[in-house]
Amino acid sequence: MAQLPTGLVTHSQKVCRLYKRALRTLENFYFRRHEFRYEAVLLRHRFDQNKKIPDARLAKQLLLEGEEEVFKHQHWQSKKFPDSESGIAHENYLHCPDCVMDYWDPMEKSRYPKYFAKREELKKEYEELYKKLFPETPKTAEK
């Protein structure tokens, strides 16, 4: 939910997003760097030609035409970044539990003395809190 835009999106923001999408589309089609740069310069020139249009209606119409053109020319198999929402590594991370640090070698722990001293204090506090919240119940007599 943090990625959803809140509030209004200005015209200039829409134009910037369109430019970025158009560049990504070019990137998908042109693998050779010099070809991509040539096409990117032409694209930038097209955007710069319409930069100073004072009429808002004409600017909006050009924006809609640009979005339609990018949609029509999108790549059939676009490049995806691994950590992006549709990438193969999205939210694919290993969660290492805190108890693993109990098995560190003393030489490794000696590199971070303040951290491990504070950690030992917190472990004692958690243990005391646990004993306070969950007192031991008397054991039933075995028959």
Side-chain angles (χ1 to χ4, degrees):
M1 294 294 283
Q3 296 148 351
L4 295 176
T6 58
L8 298 174
V9 180
T10 64
H11 177 76
S12 61
Q13 288 175 328
K14 290 177 184 177
V15 171
C16 288
R17 291 175 184 179
L18 173 65
Y19 178 70
K20 188 172 182 178
R21 273 190 314 230
L23 270 179
R24 292 291 183 203
T25 302
L26 286 178
E27 203 174 51
N28 288 327
F29 281 104
Y30 297 101
F31 298 110
R32 295 192 177 103
R33 186 74 178 160
H34 63 280
E35 292 174 353
F36 166 70
R37 287 303 308 151
Y38 177 75
E39 295 295 329
V41 168
L42 293 178
L43 177 70
R44 181 60 189 233
H45 180 67
R46 286 178 63 189
F47 272 81
D48 286 341
Q49 284 177 340
N50 300 319
K51 183 166 43 173
K52 304 266 185 201
I53 295 180
D55 186 14
R57 289 179 292 167
L58 180 60
K60 181 158 175 100
Q61 180 63 31
L62 287 171
L63 177 68
L64 292 174
E65 289 172 6
E67 287 177 346
E68 186 177 333
E69 184 180 343
V70 168
F71 179 75
K72 284 182 181 178
H73 291 87
Q74 66 186 343
H75 198 271
W76 55 90
Q77 189 176 5
S78 62
K79 184 187 340 179
K80 296 177 183 156
F81 294 102
D83 290 330
S84 66
E85 203 168 303
S86 58
I88 60 170
H90 179 64
E91 293 185 354
N92 186 11
Y93 56 89
L94 183 63
H95 175 69
C96 187
D98 185 59
C99 64
V100 171
M101 297 176 102
D102 291 334
Y103 298 105
W104 277 26
D105 190 65
M107 288 300 292
E108 292 174 321
K109 288 182 180 181
S110 66
R111 294 182 196 163
Y112 311 101
K114 290 180 184 176
Y115 173 77
F116 280 100
K118 183 71 174 174
R119 189 169 180 276
E120 289 301 321
E121 289 176 21
L122 288 174
K123 282 172 55 177
K124 287 178 186 173
E125 287 179 20
Y126 287 143
E127 195 174 314
E128 290 170 6
L129 180 65
Y130 184 82
K131 286 180 182 177
K132 185 191 289 184
L133 293 175
F134 304 104
E136 290 184 29
T137 57
K139 294 182 181 178
T140 57
E142 293 183 18
K143 293 182 182 178

